[in-house]
Amino acid sequence: MNHSQNIPFLDLVTPHVELEQELTAVFQQVIRTAGFIGGPMVETFEKEFAAFCHTERAVAVNSGTDALRFALMAAGVKKGDVVVTVPNTFIATTEAISQAGALPEFVDIDERTYNMDATKLREYLESHCTVSEEGKLISKRSKRPVTAIVPVHLYGQMADMDAILELAEQYRLLVVEDACQAHGAEYFSRKQNRWFQAGSMGRAGAFSFYPGKNLGACGEGGAITTNDARLADTCKMIRDHGQAKKYYHDIEGYNGRLDSIQAGILSVKLKHLAGWNAKRRERAAEYNRLFAASEGGVRTPYEPSWSRAVYHLYVVRTEDREGMMAHLGKSGIGTGIHYPIPLHRQRAYESLGYKVGDFPVTEKVASEIVSLPMFPNLTADQQGRVVNEVARFLQTALATTK
Ligand SMILES: *Cc1c(COP(=O)(O)O)cnc(C)c1O
């Protein structure tokens, strides 16, 4: 074992080098036919990805942000609506809501899963909304109609969908899953007594194929999954300037198509996704075991019995987060924070009028979380070094505070 070797936060090189021949064959095939946009490679990938997600349909688009935006628009979210989500997510979640013409409003997260807390959602719907004379659910905060919920399956673990879907049904709200970090994550519905794939429980699911995601393109990419054929067809129109037939524009749309090269590349990589996810789960279990043996100091991820997470990120919590990251950095270990500033505290959302203390769980968690190196080919030796350095840091920190 070479102790001087750095441990990256993410290794994107190895999986692509391993698949280099297959990936370059895609490129060759595309340049020989010059079928750069759409066509059979995109259609094939859509069928394969829908099968992977156990949905009837998948519509490939050019990013996860567009997937979410198009899904919300196609599901019927309108200008001036309110869409409820969490402040502990990447800004793309709320950008998509705003770009669909709606206003994001937040509910806090669960302190153990870091995902939407269904009890907070219930509280929001019961106490922070009223029902108008026409029977519409109106947000007291913005006086606008609440029409949809976007649960985010953050870090590769699904939100508690049974509870969220039950509230959605009760209040007649649409649910679009932000599954951009959760390709292949699973959820056991106690209500339906079976496992579900991420992206198959809401009206639609949105996925990102940004290179660092569990399934990543060699560039940008995204997809919408759904069992609703009409919603899928509307998304296909929206991604292609609102046309189903060339130059016949039923609505205004966007240029949101996926490149054929990226679709071909994604088909090659999709064959490995289940295996890569299984390895991520093994790596997470190894971290958990090593941290348990090193006698605590950090809080390791919580996976409820109803969840099979795919560990897009392995996130731990500690009080002196900055100190720990600096120490790990000096030891050549890459780390990240997902995310340091909750969305309601971002300058971009000053106009929403939220203040410090509005989402105490998110705020507390955001100051303590650290993402450790996590990728399928991370080795047990590397993990041993990460956990040793964390333990060494915590011991020194403890000794200096005594
Ligand atoms: C990556 C990501 C997105 C956006 O995906 P892009 O492909 O980068 O547009 C949206 N939501 C979450 C939670 C993400 O992690």
Side-chain angles (χ1 to χ4, degrees), residues 58-79:
V59 178
V61 294
N62 70 356
S63 72
T65 311
D66 270 3
L68 202 51
R69 167 166 56 157
F70 298 169
L72 288 167
M73 292 170 69
V77 167
K78 285 183 209 54
K79 196 167 181 289

Side-chain angles (χ1 to χ4, degrees), residues 70-321:
F70 298 169
L72 288 167
M73 292 170 69
V77 167
K78 285 183 209 54
K79 196 167 181 289
D81 287 1
V82 168
V83 176
V84 187
T85 190
V86 286
N88 181 41
T89 179
F90 182 52
I91 192 169
T93 310
T94 44
E95 283 175 330
I97 292 169
S98 304
Q99 289 163 6
L103 190 76
E105 288 193 3
F106 299 116
V107 296
D108 212 349
I109 57 167
D110 177 275
E111 190 169 345
R112 292 197 299 172
T113 63
Y114 310 134
N115 280 328
M116 182 179 278
D117 183 338
T119 62
K120 305 271 174 57
L121 176 64
R122 177 184 295 281
E123 196 181 293
Y124 168 88
L125 296 168
E126 283 177 356
S127 316
H128 298 266
C129 295
T130 53
V131 179
S132 74
E133 280 170 21
E134 307 96 89
K136 278 187 180 167
L137 187 70
I138 305 290
S139 157
K140 288 184 190 166
R141 202 187 159 75
S142 59
K143 316 273 187 293
R144 297 174 186 219
V146 182
T147 56
I149 307 167
V150 176
V152 183
H153 305 322
L154 207 66
Y155 311 149
Q157 172 154 275
M158 286 180 70
D160 189 1
M161 290 301 286
D162 272 354
I164 293 167
L165 289 171
E166 191 170 300
L167 286 166
E169 200 178 300
Q170 189 184 335
Y171 287 89
R172 280 182 277 143
L173 302 171
L174 296 158
V175 175
V176 174
E177 299 168 62
D178 183 340
C180 287
Q181 298 191 3
H183 320 62
E186 290 173 294
Y187 177 88
F188 187 79
S189 166
R190 284 80 80 207
K191 249 180 116 179
Q192 300 181 60
N193 199 35
R194 70 173 181 94
W195 289 91
F196 282 87
Q197 297 288 117
S200 72
M201 296 192 81
R203 178 72 66 82
F207 289 86
S208 164
F209 305 126
Y210 185 76
K213 304 292 164 100
N214 287 29
L215 177 64
C218 296
E220 304 278 357
I224 297 128
T225 51
T226 186
N227 291 319
D228 179 338
R230 265 187 54 193
L231 186 146
D233 289 338
T234 307
C235 286
K236 283 178 74 172
M237 278 175 62
I238 296 173
R239 77 172 173 193
D240 196 19
H241 301 290
Q243 63 187 1
K245 190 175 153 197
K246 204 169 172 71
Y247 302 134
Y248 288 77
H249 307 275
D250 295 344
I251 49 172
E252 267 192 357
Y254 294 86
N255 176 352
R257 300 166 301 233
L258 182 71
D259 289 347
S260 313
I261 288 172
Q262 299 304 344
I265 283 167
L266 287 164
S267 285
V268 169
K269 293 181 74 181
L270 180 59
K271 293 201 277 291
H272 301 273
L273 180 55
W276 287 332
N277 281 344
K279 281 192 179 167
R280 285 176 184 270
R281 288 183 56 76
E282 278 169 27
R283 295 302 105 215
E286 176 69 4
Y287 267 136
N288 292 345
R289 195 183 65 73
L290 291 169
F291 277 119
S294 82
E295 281 166 31
V298 300
R299 192 192 289 234
T300 52
Y302 169 68
E303 196 177 312
S305 58
W306 44 257
S307 166
R308 267 193 220 127
V310 291
Y311 294 93
H312 171 60
L313 296 167
Y314 185 87
V315 177
V316 300
R317 267 165 72 193
T318 182
E319 270 165 35
D320 184 7
R321 184 255 312 276

Side-chain angles (χ1 to χ4, degrees), residues 5-19 210-217 269 276 279-280 283 287 311-313 333-335 372-379 382:
Q5 282 270 276
N6 290 349
I7 304 172
F9 175 63
L10 173 64
D11 174 13
L12 278 181
V13 176
T14 307
H16 292 100
V17 170
E18 280 171 6
L19 297 173
Y210 185 76
K213 304 292 164 100
N214 287 29
L215 177 64
K269 293 181 74 181
W276 287 332
K279 281 192 179 167
R280 285 176 184 270
R283 295 302 105 215
Y287 267 136
Y311 294 93
H312 171 60
L313 296 167
I333 296 167
T335 55
L372 298 179
M374 171 53 81
F375 44 90
N377 53 313
L378 183 69
T379 66
Q382 289 176 316

